[in-house]
Amino acid sequence: MTPESVHRSAAPVTGPQGRRPPLVLLGLGAVVLLAGVALLAYGPRGGEESGSDGASSSAHAKGHSGTGGSNGHSGGGAAQAEEPPPRFEATVCWRDIERFNESVTIGSFRNWAAPLLASRDPNVRAYLRERLTELIGNDAGHALEVLGWSRDAAPREFNVIMMALRDSEAVHQPQVAARLLEQGMDLTLDGQRRAGLLSALDTQKRLDPASLGTLADFARDPVSGEAGWAATRTIARVMKRDFNAKGNLAPYMDKLLTIGVESPDEQIRYLALSMPMHATPVLDDEASARYAKVLTTEGSPEGREAAAHNLSVSGGDKARTLELFAQSFTAEQDICVRWALFRFAARVAGQESLPTMANMAIADPRFQPLYQTFERIYASGTLDFVRVWNSLPDQDPFGCLDRHEE
């Protein structure tokens, strides 16, 4: 639990964005073992192009059962009408993984990967994502070809495609980023697919003004839904990366605050208001004033908590911020927002905040024990807020803080 934990429930995650477990491949020319997963007993033959091997759409069909370990026709003299599709065996290593690793191309990847995707094993999907990322490399043509697959890809394949694109060097090519944004705005696609496309932009080093404006306008659209949520998160993640690279924070903050005030979707508003705290920026006067307004007008308690957090690290006038927190505490009805105002008052001014916190505890007796705890910690000589926070015997006295780990 950290002092930045201000929300009570985990925001939903959209798009292809789970963490990838490290997958160790033994390199070209070495046999790669995918231990404990469902793997192919036999696979694509060297030299075949996509559409010519058993890893086509027949891999999804109809319950054919080939003979284990055989990779050709039966011993009978008559030729079979159709070769059975590859078959999975739970304990057998895929004998052709080395050939796949060495010989697969962008052109053959979809057909060759289809049986592996059918295994539903996350380690297999992680391998395919990494291999496809390598195949894309920094080639914009390859990236655009792979992006074209996303329109009709099934969900598991779509996630592999988006994660591979997201992690590739080519995604930073202007034409690739522009096409991702264009498809993310395509009204003919369903919301989940659009969310995945917009999430694949979140590794950009920066967003140009036009792209930033497009994403922000879309996030404020009442019907943007899941894709609008993904667009907001992409803005915030690129903001953090640009900010860490000494970029200009102001355009991102402006758009996030606008989304946080104007979006009709409460979850999108909360995301927009809370994400800046992961970059802990020093707010300028305009941003501070806008967050102060959010603190007194935002309908979502989580959004008001986020505003209290961001104001506590804003670097602005401490006395003015404490006064704002005191006034907001008196008017506030939600116990969790009051707890945010109380503890973040200590973050604003340290030991100097004790008189303000004492008045809060008078206004709400539930905070009397908490005030005494803070007073005792400061009296012991502990002054740094993080150390004060870690010294609290109970960081979640009202059951407000999010208990999941990021």
Side-chain angles (χ1 to χ4, degrees):
M1 191 67 65
T2 68
E4 287 75 19
S5 299
V6 301
H7 49 295
R8 281 167 278 180
S9 61
V13 177
T14 60
Q17 91 108 17
R19 291 181 182 80
R20 220 171 31 209
L23 186 64
V24 179
L25 297 180
L26 299 182
L28 296 177
V31 177
V32 180
L33 297 180
L34 301 178
V37 300
L39 299 168
L40 286 177
Y42 51 90
R45 297 177 293 281
E48 291 189 351
E49 293 302 321
S50 64
S52 63
D53 66 305
S56 65
S57 59
S58 62
H60 299 291
K62 299 183 181 177
H64 296 310
S65 56
T67 55
S70 174
N71 195 21
H73 297 288
S74 64
Q80 293 182 348
E82 181 181 346
E83 183 178 339
R87 182 165 64 88
F88 292 99
E89 294 182 12
T91 60
V92 180
C93 177
W94 185 32
R95 296 170 188 147
D96 278 344
I97 187 69
E98 181 181 357
R99 190 182 306 169
F100 181 99
N101 203 45
E102 291 179 345
S103 303
V104 71
T105 66
I106 290 290
S108 63
F109 184 88
R110 290 191 83 181
N111 281 342
W112 285 23
L116 287 174
L117 283 168
S119 75
R120 304 191 179 195
D121 188 281
N123 291 322
V124 173
R125 291 197 298 273
Y127 163 69
L128 292 173
R129 287 197 302 265
E130 293 192 6
R131 189 68 186 95
L132 184 54
T133 296
E134 292 173 355
L135 290 172
I136 295 169
N138 197 29
D139 190 312
H142 285 172
L144 292 174
E145 181 177 351
V146 170
L147 180 55
W149 304 344
S150 68
R151 301 191 70 89
D152 63 357
R156 280 194 295 275
E157 184 187 22
F158 178 81
N159 288 339
V160 167
I161 290 169
M162 288 298 104
M163 288 299 294
L165 275 170
R166 177 182 181 272
D167 293 340
S168 71
E169 294 178 58
V171 79
H172 301 288
Q173 299 273 11
Q175 62 268 46
V176 178
R179 183 72 63 81
L180 269 170
L181 182 58
E182 178 186 345
Q183 285 194 207
M185 296 295 110
D186 188 342
L187 293 172
T188 66
L189 300 178
D190 63 81
Q192 263 194 324
R193 203 165 295 257
R194 297 174 77 187
L197 289 158
L198 297 178
S199 292
L201 284 166
D202 70 11
T203 56
Q204 297 294 300
K205 296 179 176 65
R206 63 180 296 273
L207 290 171
D208 61 74
S211 299
L212 181 58
T214 298
L215 286 169
D217 290 343
F218 176 66
R220 291 156 50 207
D221 190 319
V223 298
S224 64
E226 185 178 3
W229 196 94
T232 303
R233 188 182 58 190
T234 290
I235 292 172
R237 287 181 169 177
V238 178
M239 177 188 74
K240 182 178 180 181
R241 187 172 296 107
D242 200 354
F243 175 68
N244 290 338
K246 311 301 181 186
N248 184 8
L249 187 76
Y252 302 98
M253 285 296 301
D254 174 66
K255 296 302 184 185
L256 287 172
L257 274 163
T258 300
I259 296 168
V261 171
E262 297 183 7
S263 171
D265 187 307
E266 185 173 301
Q267 290 188 3
I268 292 176
R269 289 202 313 275
Y270 169 66
L271 183 69
L273 294 171
S274 65
M275 285 298 283
M277 61 189 184
H278 298 295
T280 58
V282 175
L283 305 178
D284 59 24
D285 289 344
E286 181 183 355
S288 294
R290 293 174 74 181
Y291 268 116
K293 185 175 181 180
V294 168
L295 190 59
T296 58
T297 62
E298 166 59 30
S300 160
E302 288 85 356
R304 299 196 297 275
E305 290 177 56
H309 174 278
N310 288 330
L311 286 166
S312 74
V313 296
S314 67
D317 186 297
K318 294 180 180 180
R320 186 170 61 187
T321 303
L322 282 178
E323 178 61 25
L324 174 64
F325 280 18
Q327 293 173 359
S328 299
F329 188 95
T330 301
E332 182 60 58
Q333 300 300 311
D334 187 281
I335 184 64
C336 292
V337 181
R338 282 190 164 186
W339 172 225
L341 291 164
F342 185 87
R343 72 184 186 273
F344 289 136
R347 190 173 198 168
V348 170
Q351 193 170 14
E352 297 175 14
S353 65
L354 285 175
T356 299
M357 298 170 73
N359 289 334
M360 291 176 175
I362 292 171
D364 188 339
R366 291 173 294 183
F367 287 83
Q368 286 285 353
L370 292 165
Y371 170 75
Q372 292 166 9
T373 299
F374 273 90
E375 187 179 42
R376 184 171 60 254
I377 292 171
Y378 281 125
S380 73
T382 301
L383 301 177
D384 176 73
F385 177 73
V386 173
R387 293 183 61 206
V388 170
W389 174 259
N390 289 331
S391 299
L392 293 176
D394 184 0
Q395 295 173 336
D396 193 16
F398 304 110
C400 301
L401 301 183
D402 182 13
R403 295 182 182 276
H404 84 291
E405 293 185 4
E406 293 292 331

